[in-house]
Amino acid sequence: MRTIKGLRAEELLFERLQPGIRFRGKVHSIFSSTMNLMEEGGRLWTVSIERQIYLPGTLEISGKINFEEYHDLLGKPVHLASGMLIFGHSFQVDLSDLLVRKPPERNATAMGPGNPKDNLEETLKELRRKGKRGGCLSFFLPGSPEGYLEKAFQERILQMKRTGDFRKILGLGLGLTPSGDDFALGFMAMASYLQESFVRDTAQKLKTLLEQETVSTTEVSLQMLHFGKEGRFPGDLTDFCEEVLYGNDPEKRNYTMEKLLNIGSISGTDMASGALFALQLNLEQQCGGNDDKKS
């Protein structure tokens, strides 16, 4: 059996991988650089190649590995025994020197006051130019949307802007994390920086909706949203939010956006769209109302 060294585990998963903990589950889904596990009880975790950023619920391993070579593990058992996370009869991850990875500290104070209004306008221009179509970006694009989904997002985001209700957005879209869910995650991330605002209240309504466990979406996406509800967001997303809010360097801001846009097929674009939508809505409310403009 192949043995792979475990490097770091996000703090929630780190706690579940300690000696004496009963960890049992199965392989849920497999991709080239990641493998998702479903623990007994339904919580999803991720095993990944080494990353430079914080990712909620993720165990990072050393070396180069293509998880798709282990496609036969799909649905097979995973368990913790003697300091090893064991995947069927194929490989095991040595947890003896595992480090804990915690969410990064917020950098708002160190970065200064920034100019969110101007940064928003400039970042929207770049997003329209570099973002990937097919999802929530359609809300910010001029003219008629292309296809059913883009039209649906344009209409439903506008409706949500008026009502604060995410129910018609969550679960809408394609893939393991539908565009509507990625948009909601970006919204929650930006809202977490906006104290005592209409946007913060809207994000709280979204969290309450998630707590009711009535959202119909994929298991992977639902876990992502629950991490967001707990204030745990991918590092590329929080870096992007902080640069837009507090940054003064256009090149650095564009760099963080490009890193975010590289997440998934269009997931990063949808997250960026949700974050910028939240900031736009917050600025509109500060000016005295919701005028339904897209900037």
Side-chain angles (χ1 to χ4, degrees), residues 5 61 68 92 118 120 178 202 204 229 234 240 247 257 281:
K5 192 71 175 176
I61 61 173
E68 290 178 333
Q92 58 189 5
D118 288 348
L120 171 65
T202 302
Q204 185 56 53
K229 178 174 66 69
F240 172 75
M257 185 182 74
L281 187 56

Side-chain angles (χ1 to χ4, degrees), residues 127-145:
L127 183 64
R128 292 185 183 106
R129 189 167 66 89
K130 298 179 180 178
K132 300 168 187 174
R133 296 200 60 154
C136 300
L137 179 61
S138 62
F139 179 78
F140 291 115
L141 296 176
S144 299

Side-chain angles (χ1 to χ4, degrees), residues 161-181:
K161 187 175 184 178
R162 294 167 177 156
T163 65
D165 190 345
F166 270 87
R167 279 178 290 187
K168 291 187 177 180
I169 293 176
L170 293 175
L172 182 62
L174 307 174
L176 275 179
T177 58
S179 289
D181 298 349

Side-chain angles (χ1 to χ4, degrees), residues 36-94:
N36 291 317
L37 315 178
M38 177 173 281
E39 190 179 1
E40 289 179 351
R43 187 139 204 183
L44 280 171
W45 307 104
T46 300
V47 181
S48 171
I49 60 173
E50 186 174 6
R51 305 287 182 175
Q52 300 301 316
I53 60 166
Y54 169 82
L55 291 172
T58 298
L59 166 65
E60 299 171 60
I61 61 173
S62 66
K64 295 180 180 179
I65 181 172
N66 182 353
F67 289 105
E68 290 178 333
E69 295 176 358
Y70 296 92
H71 60 87
D72 57 321
L73 279 175
L74 192 63
K76 296 293 178 26
V78 179
H79 70 281
L80 181 65
S82 302
M84 297 283 185
L85 188 61
I86 302 171
F87 295 73
H89 300 288
S90 298
F91 69 89
Q92 58 189 5
V93 178
D94 180 1

Side-chain angles (χ1 to χ4, degrees), residues 141-215:
L141 296 176
S144 299
E146 297 178 358
Y148 165 77
L149 274 178
E150 287 199 346
K151 183 178 180 181
F153 278 120
Q154 194 175 83
E155 293 173 350
R156 295 186 189 192
I157 292 172
L158 185 59
Q159 183 179 3
M160 188 277 290
K161 187 175 184 178
R162 294 167 177 156
T163 65
D165 190 345
F166 270 87
R167 279 178 290 187
K168 291 187 177 180
I169 293 176
L170 293 175
L172 182 62
L174 307 174
L176 275 179
T177 58
S179 289
D181 298 349
D182 291 320
F183 180 90
L185 187 73
F187 187 96
M188 283 193 288
M190 183 63 81
S192 69
Y193 292 89
L194 305 173
Q195 301 293 334
E196 299 180 1
S197 69
F198 172 79
V199 170
R200 187 85 174 212
D201 293 341
T202 302
Q204 185 56 53
K205 291 179 184 177
L206 171 57
K207 294 175 184 179
T208 301
L209 181 61
L210 293 170
E211 289 169 356
Q212 294 172 353
E213 299 183 353
T214 58
V215 174

